[in-house]
């Protein structure tokens, strides 16, 4: 009865519009008062602070800072211009350019909202000029930004790795494969839609201009090479790679492109600090909820239930996908990770599911939640960035939600797709 009351209370807080800090924190404190009265109060503070006292999490503020610098500087624009030069003249080329540009920017930012903001400003006018309707233009920009959550350096995968102790390098390797796979699925849709609508490509860019665009983008392309090459070669840890990405992005924008001032870097640092603070407050409160989930032996209860209904790993993953899809519609991705992963991850291990495979399933569900009404975060970022009604953005994402769900089914039941590259790199 008490658990039901606390669950309903948390849902009421959520639907009344309370901040996720309170939606997670207040029920957590109620659980302590009702079920763990002998636990000293000081343990709450220790758990909240200790939950974010991990060096791995330092990668998050660094990657967020680097993403903001690149989005507001010229790195994103140079990457996009280069991609347009090679793909824009093909039928459906501007759609391909949006997908490839988002993947390229995602590979240096790790942030889907930053990718939506950066690519939206650059590519939306280009898509409309190329004959794409408002719906598909908005849907493509919002959806293709998902690659930033899959292609390393993904902040979502860093959080999952911190929660479960899974190798972040292995998660990054698997995420690279799934991110490319999802991007190819979007490209296939753009190709079919373009043929049905009779859309043609733009005027081909002269080869001399293409080479100039490559030259201008070389410094931007150096960032994913340094980050991924450093991590996979063992030169950097993911956290160290994040710090290097900030230094590199600042030097490129200030010294090479010379389009950004120190004052602007200072302003961007303040904005990145605010975003980081929001995430870390959620991580701190989420660690408290995770702690009580563990104390209450929720994973054991889930395992017992699965045994009772004689479920196998196939049924278990159906349950995981349904729960994450529903949660993604209503709460932010970090909160979904913090609440659900501690409950499901031990069960996944009990069924013999590879931790990297399970992490990619979770991450792809988070991607879908970011673009799914009513509270998909990237929908609101696109609406704000492009000054478009939320309803217009929602109308454009539905075909891509369908593609995502189809991709999720493949990723869920073809484990080797997620694990072959990590095994190849890490053994």
């Amino acid at each position: 009865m008490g658990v039901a009351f606390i669950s309903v209370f948390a849902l009421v807080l959520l639907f009344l519009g309370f901040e996720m800090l309170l939606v997670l924190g207040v029920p957590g404190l109620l659980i302590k008062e009702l079920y763990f009265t002998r636990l000293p109060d000081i343990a709450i503070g220790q758990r909240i602070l200790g939950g974010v006292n991990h060096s791995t999490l330092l990668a998050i503020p660094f990657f967020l800072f680097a993403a903001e610098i690149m989005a507001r500087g010229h790195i994103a624009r140079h990457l996009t211009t280069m991609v347009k030069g090679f793909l824009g003249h093909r039928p459906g080329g501007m759609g391909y350019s949006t997908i490839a540009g988002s993947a390229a920017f995602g590979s240096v930012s790790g942030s889907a909202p930053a990718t939506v903001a950066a690519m939206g400003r650059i590519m939306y006018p280009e898509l409309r000029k190329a004959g794409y309707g408002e719906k598909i233009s908005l849907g493509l920009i919002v959806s293709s930004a998902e690659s930033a959550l899959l292609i390393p350096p993904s902040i979502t995968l860093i959080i999952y790795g911190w929660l479960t102790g899974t190798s972040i390098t292995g998660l990054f390797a698997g995420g690279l494969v799934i991110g490319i796979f999802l991007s190819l699925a979007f490209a296939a849709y753009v190709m079919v839609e373009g043929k049905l609508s009779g859309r043609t490509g733009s005027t081909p860019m002269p080869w001399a201009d293409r080479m100039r665009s490559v030259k201008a983008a070389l410094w931007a392309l150096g960032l994913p090479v340094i980050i991924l090459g450093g991590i996979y070669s063992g030169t950097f840890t993911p956290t160290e790679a994040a710090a290097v990405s900030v230094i590199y992005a600042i030097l490129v924008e200030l010294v090479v492109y010379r389009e950004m001032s120190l004052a602007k870097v200072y302003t961007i640092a303040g904005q990145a600090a605010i975003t980081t603070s929001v995430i870390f407050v959620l991580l701190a409160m989420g660690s408290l909820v995770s702690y009580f989930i563990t104390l209450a032996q929720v994973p054991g209860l889930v395992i017992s239930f699965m045994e009772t209904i004689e479920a196998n790993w196939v049924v278990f993953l159906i349950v995981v996908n349904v729960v994450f899809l529903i949660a993604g519609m209503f709460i932010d991705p970090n909160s979904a990770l913090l609440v659900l992963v501690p409950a499901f991850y031990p069960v996944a291990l009990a069924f013999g599911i590879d931790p990297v495979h399970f992490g990619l399933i979770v991450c792809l569900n988070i991607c879908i939640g970011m673009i799914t009404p009513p509270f998909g975060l990237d929908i609101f970022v696109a609406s704000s960035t492009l000054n478009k009604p939320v309803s217009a953005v929602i109308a454009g994402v539905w075909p891509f939600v369908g593609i995502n769900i189809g991709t999720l089914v493949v990723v869920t039941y073809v484990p080797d797709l997620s694990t072959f590259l990590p095994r190849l790199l890490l053994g």
Side-chain angles (χ1 to χ4, degrees):
M1 185 66 180
V3 173
F5 169 76
I6 292 171
S7 300
V8 171
F9 182 70
L11 289 173
V12 170
L13 291 178
L14 177 65
F15 286 108
L16 288 178
F18 283 79
E19 294 292 336
M20 284 306 303
L21 163 67
L22 298 176
V23 175
L24 291 173
V26 174
L29 294 176
L30 284 176
I31 291 172
K32 188 266 179 189
E33 293 300 323
L34 287 176
Y35 297 104
F36 302 99
T37 53
R38 298 179 65 180
L39 188 71
D41 291 340
I42 194 171
I44 302 297
Q46 290 172 338
R47 189 65 199 178
I48 290 172
L49 293 176
V52 292
N53 187 22
H54 293 267
S55 60
T56 300
L57 296 179
L58 281 174
I60 295 174
F62 285 129
F63 279 131
L64 283 173
F65 188 19
E68 288 291 334
I69 291 171
M70 290 180 284
R72 297 177 183 276
H74 281 68
I75 288 177
R77 187 169 296 278
H78 284 302
L79 285 172
T80 307
T81 301
M82 182 194 68
V83 171
K84 282 194 310 185
F86 287 90
L87 296 176
H89 63 284
R90 300 176 182 277
M94 207 52 65
Y96 301 146
S97 298
T98 302
I99 295 166
S102 295
F105 185 75
S107 71
V108 295
S109 71
S111 169
T115 304
V116 171
M119 297 303 297
R121 295 187 190 100
I122 297 168
M123 293 306 302
Y124 181 75
E126 298 288 343
L127 286 166
R128 299 292 281 136
K129 197 185 304 180
Y132 285 80
E134 182 181 71
K135 283 185 182 180
I136 188 171
S137 297
L138 293 171
L140 186 58
I141 287 167
V142 171
S143 303
S144 59
E146 292 176 58
S147 58
L149 296 185
L150 292 162
I151 294 175
S154 162
I155 292 172
T156 301
L157 290 178
I158 290 172
I159 294 174
Y160 173 86
W162 160 69
L163 278 171
T164 62
T166 305
S167 164
I168 292 177
T169 303
L171 289 167
F172 278 3
L176 181 62
V177 175
I178 303 305
I180 293 172
F181 184 81
L182 182 62
S183 296
L184 290 174
F186 288 154
Y189 172 76
V190 168
M191 180 181 68
V192 172
E193 193 275 342
K195 286 184 177 180
L196 292 176
S197 63
R199 190 177 297 113
T200 59
S202 60
T203 304
M205 182 185 290
W207 273 101
D209 290 342
R210 293 183 191 182
M211 291 302 102
R212 275 193 288 271
S213 71
V214 172
K215 184 179 178 181
L218 280 177
W219 286 99
L221 291 170
L223 194 49
V225 172
I226 290 172
I227 292 173
L228 301 184
I231 291 173
Y232 294 142
S233 68
T235 306
F236 303 140
T237 66
T239 302
E240 291 166 346
V244 169
S245 73
V246 172
I247 296 170
Y248 186 92
I250 291 175
L251 288 176
V252 169
E253 293 290 357
L254 290 181
V255 179
V256 179
Y257 296 146
R258 299 182 183 179
E259 300 278 351
M260 184 178 287
S261 65
L262 282 172
K264 188 171 183 180
V265 172
Y266 179 79
T267 301
I268 291 171
Q271 293 165 339
I274 292 171
T275 304
T276 299
S277 299
V278 171
I279 291 175
F280 270 69
V281 166
L282 286 177
L283 293 178
M285 297 309 300
S287 68
L288 179 64
V289 175
S290 301
Y291 177 59
F292 286 127
I293 287 173
T294 303
L295 286 182
Q297 299 180 333
V298 171
L301 296 175
V302 175
I303 292 173
S304 298
F305 174 73
M306 289 292 168
E307 290 175 345
T308 301
I309 64 174
E310 298 183 350
N312 55 18
W313 70 276
V314 174
V315 176
F316 168 69
L317 289 181
I318 291 174
V319 173
V320 168
N321 285 332
V322 170
V323 171
F324 266 97
L325 285 172
I326 294 172
M329 295 179 186
F330 299 101
I331 62 177
D332 71 273
N334 293 326
S335 299
L337 279 173
L338 293 165
V339 173
L340 298 176
V341 168
F344 284 130
Y345 178 73
V347 186
L349 294 184
F351 277 111
I353 298 169
D354 186 274
V356 171
H357 177 215
F358 188 68
L360 270 300
I361 293 171
V362 168
C363 189
L364 192 49
N365 273 294
I366 295 298
C367 288
I368 298 172
M370 295 283 279
I371 67 168
T372 306
F375 298 121
L377 177 60
D378 285 350
I379 292 173
F380 295 96
V381 173
S383 173
S384 174
T385 301
L386 300 173
N387 196 26
K388 297 292 180 181
V390 170
S391 58
V393 183
I394 290 174
V397 300
W398 290 117
F400 299 97
V401 171
I403 294 168
N404 269 285
I405 292 174
T407 303
L408 177 63
V409 172
V410 174
V411 171
T412 299
Y413 295 111
V414 185
D416 286 344
L417 192 63
S418 302
T419 59
F420 82 89
L421 186 57
R423 284 200 303 266
L424 189 65
L425 290 174
L426 304 177

